[in-house]
Amino acid sequence: MFKSTRFSKGKEEVLKELEYVCSKRESKDQLLRFINAPTRLEFLTSIALVQNFEGLDVNPNYSVDDEGLPTFTASGGMADIGCFDKDYDSYYEVTLMCGRSDQVNNEIIPISRHLREVKENRRIQSFSVLVAPVIHPDTLEAAEWQKMKNGVDILTLDILKFIEALRTLSKASQLLTVA
């Protein structure tokens, strides 16, 4: 479960920091400015999920220090952030990559494989969300193809659409209506 003893920011501050990291702007926050951008994106996304979605158990997979601050991004083979509530398991992949081949090959294909494995091992509904500064049109098409071919839900949200969803929705499962 997400915990940090040294970081406390309000919802809007966290959402603004998400915008900063995705637009390659440096944070003015004394703590965040020393966390590299990919790790900071995972950290801020985890915080935003906790702050904005009711009843969601948020489990980031990045490495942390003894105060709960991230030291490195999640390793491969698992979602960046796993989230669980009574109705759904949801998995979040966040990336600063914007190119077609980067998003399709490095994100959509592994996400689909992971979701298929989850569906085989767990009997609860699940979906994944890919968040990036921008979503390449081919990435959206690849996610749609994975739904048709493998029956997995991979939502693709650019950072502004994700932030708007965080502001307006109260449950993670409502993201299924956004994409």
Side-chain angles (χ1 to χ4, degrees):
M1 172 131 186
F2 170 79
K3 289 188 177 164
S4 175
T5 57
R6 289 186 50 209
F7 186 81
S8 63
K9 292 264 183 224
K11 290 180 184 182
E12 285 303 314
E13 292 172 297
V14 169
L15 298 178
K16 187 56 85 184
E17 289 290 343
L18 277 170
E19 284 185 57
Y20 288 163
V21 71
C22 285
S23 62
K24 299 181 180 172
R25 288 187 278 172
E26 186 177 312
S27 175
K28 304 223 183 313
D29 183 272
Q30 295 298 347
L31 186 66
L32 292 175
R33 65 187 311 166
F34 294 107
I35 300 172
N36 72 42
T39 306
R40 187 169 8 127
L41 179 58
E42 289 181 24
F43 181 59
L44 291 167
T45 301
S46 297
I47 294 167
L49 291 166
V50 168
Q51 289 178 332
N52 292 283
F53 289 148
E54 299 168 4
L56 195 63
D57 181 15
V58 177
N59 295 278
N61 289 312
Y62 50 73
S63 301
V64 296
D65 64 15
D66 59 349
E67 294 181 326
L69 294 173
T71 57
F72 200 72
T73 58
S75 59
M78 66 178 74
D80 293 338
I81 306 161
C83 297
F84 312 96
D85 64 21
K86 64 181 170 90
D87 300 318
Y88 284 89
D89 288 351
S90 55
Y91 302 93
Y92 298 79
E93 291 293 333
V94 297
T95 184
L96 293 172
M97 294 185 284
C98 296
R100 175 185 50 84
S101 62
D102 289 333
Q103 288 182 351
V104 172
N105 295 332
N106 297 337
E107 302 296 347
I108 295 296
I109 301 300
I111 290 169
S112 176
R113 182 174 49 250
H114 181 255
L115 267 180
R116 290 191 313 266
E117 291 169 2
V118 165
K119 285 183 124 178
E120 288 174 14
N121 297 323
R122 293 181 47 87
R123 298 292 178 229
I124 190 167
Q125 294 180 316
S126 58
F127 64 93
S128 283
V129 180
L130 172 64
V131 179
V134 297
I135 298 293
H136 192 281
D138 289 355
T139 304
L140 177 59
E141 188 171 328
E144 291 169 353
W145 170 249
Q146 290 297 326
K147 177 157 179 85
M148 288 177 27
K149 180 179 180 231
N150 295 310
V152 295
D153 288 309
I154 304 171
L155 313 176
T156 55
L157 301 174
D158 67 46
I159 192 62
L160 295 179
K161 198 170 189 179
F162 181 63
I163 288 170
E164 182 60 27
L166 290 169
R167 284 185 173 130
T168 58
L169 305 176
S170 61
K171 295 183 64 83
S173 61
Q174 292 171 328
L175 287 168
L176 290 164
T177 65
V178 172

